[in-house]
Amino acid sequence: MKIIGLKIEEALKIFPELQKYIKNGKLDFSNREARILYNKAVAKAVFDLKIEYHPKGLITPPISRYIFLKTFLRGGEKALEIGTGHSALMAIMATKLFNCEVWATEIDEEFFGYAKRNIECNKVQVNLIKSKGQIIKGLIPEGEKFDVIFSAPPYYEKPTKGVLTPIEAVGGGKYGEKFSLKLLSEAKDYLKPKGKVALFLPDKAPLLNAITQEAEKMGYKIRDIKFKAGTRWRHSLILMT
């Protein structure tokens, strides 16, 4: 896969205020504002997207999300994203870069507002739906079928310190797998023949094993694509009916 990214000097041209976060020639990524500005610069320079991040939400890096989408989208699919977050980054990318018909859900009221504005700002059509706690059933109309259902699900087993909200972070279960397994259970009734589910997950073996073992019992065939984004390894867990 072609390496994509943005040099700090190029990011400075877009947001000169990044200069104050540079120490010894390197950007201080421990600073939240620096991470926001850099990722906004990446979205603009690499993908021609304008993204606003919620001041307390997860800062979703555009490159890792793009690589994830590229593992399962070929273009033109009808896709459903569960939990698009405040950036709506993957829903926007799937629509604009992969020409997909995208539905997306979000539960948090403030995040929903940010997602709506990001979608409108980038002039894409996404069917954005406000969840009241549902994942798929009771939220997406019965009879709707999708080529792919995807998500960057919450995966921590307990609340975390830092900027992640409980809704963004806590997946439940022994290893944080509970949310993903409920999604997989509900997804089967909303997939087209040969449809698939794709989950963006960290490099945590107990979590991955817990999901794959139960998914196999549900009848899914599994493909695990491991990829590196920046300094971190991620997994695109693709589950096919």
Side-chain angles (χ1 to χ4, degrees), residues 70-221:
K70 200 151 179 71
T71 62
F72 60 88
L73 290 179
R74 299 296 172 261
E77 291 94 339
K78 182 178 178 182
L80 169 63
E81 181 185 13
I82 304 301
T84 196
H86 53 98
S87 71
L89 184 59
M90 290 201 291
I92 294 168
M93 283 183 162
T95 305
K96 188 169 183 178
L97 306 180
F98 294 89
N99 195 34
C100 293
E101 175 192 341
V102 179
W103 296 41
T105 72
E106 177 52 42
I107 187 171
D108 184 274
E109 193 70 46
E110 287 189 25
F111 287 6
F112 184 90
Y114 265 74
K116 188 173 185 293
R117 289 191 292 275
N118 277 323
I119 288 165
E120 291 171 351
C121 183
N122 287 281
K123 299 179 181 179
V124 295
Q125 295 294 321
V126 173
N127 186 3
L128 184 63
I129 300 170
K130 179 70 172 64
S131 169
K132 294 181 180 179
Q134 313 96 320
I135 297 180
I136 304 175
K137 288 187 176 180
L139 182 63
I140 304 302
E142 292 183 11
E144 290 292 344
K145 301 288 184 180
F146 298 89
D147 297 295
V148 62
I149 297 172
F150 67 94
S151 181
Y155 55 75
Y156 286 102
E157 62 274 16
K158 58 186 178 180
T160 60
K161 295 179 181 179
V163 299
L164 289 180
T165 65
I167 288 173
E168 289 178 301
V170 181
K174 186 175 181 180
Y175 304 110
E177 76 282 4
K178 187 175 180 180
F179 182 96
S180 295
L181 293 177
K182 192 169 191 303
L183 188 160
L184 288 171
S185 176
E186 295 184 10
K188 300 194 82 172
D189 292 333
Y190 292 85
L191 289 172
K192 295 180 181 180
K194 298 183 179 181
K196 53 196 170 188
V197 179
L199 301 176
F200 180 95
L201 295 166
D203 191 27
K204 296 174 65 174
L207 170 68
L208 294 164
N209 290 337
I211 294 173
T212 54
Q213 287 172 12
E214 290 302 314
E216 287 175 347
K217 294 177 184 177
M218 295 181 198
Y220 284 100
K221 298 177 182 177

Side-chain angles (χ1 to χ4, degrees), residues 17-112:
E17 56 266 44
L18 271 170
Q19 184 65 53
K20 62 184 176 183
Y21 301 111
I22 292 179
K23 297 178 182 179
N24 300 320
K26 294 182 179 181
L27 189 61
D28 179 16
F29 282 107
S30 67
N31 183 284
R32 179 174 174 81
E33 184 61 23
R35 295 200 307 276
I36 287 176
L37 288 173
Y38 177 74
N39 282 295
K40 286 174 66 173
V42 171
K44 180 61 180 175
V46 180
F47 302 108
D48 194 26
L49 300 177
K50 185 177 181 182
I51 301 295
E52 292 298 327
Y53 290 101
H54 187 282
K56 294 183 179 179
L58 176 66
I59 305 168
T60 46
I63 290 173
S64 64
R65 270 49 180 184
Y66 174 77
I67 295 172
F68 169 63
L69 292 174
K70 200 151 179 71
T71 62
F72 60 88
L73 290 179
R74 299 296 172 261
E77 291 94 339
K78 182 178 178 182
L80 169 63
E81 181 185 13
I82 304 301
T84 196
H86 53 98
S87 71
L89 184 59
M90 290 201 291
I92 294 168
M93 283 183 162
T95 305
K96 188 169 183 178
L97 306 180
F98 294 89
N99 195 34
C100 293
E101 175 192 341
V102 179
W103 296 41
T105 72
E106 177 52 42
I107 187 171
D108 184 274
E109 193 70 46
E110 287 189 25
F111 287 6
F112 184 90

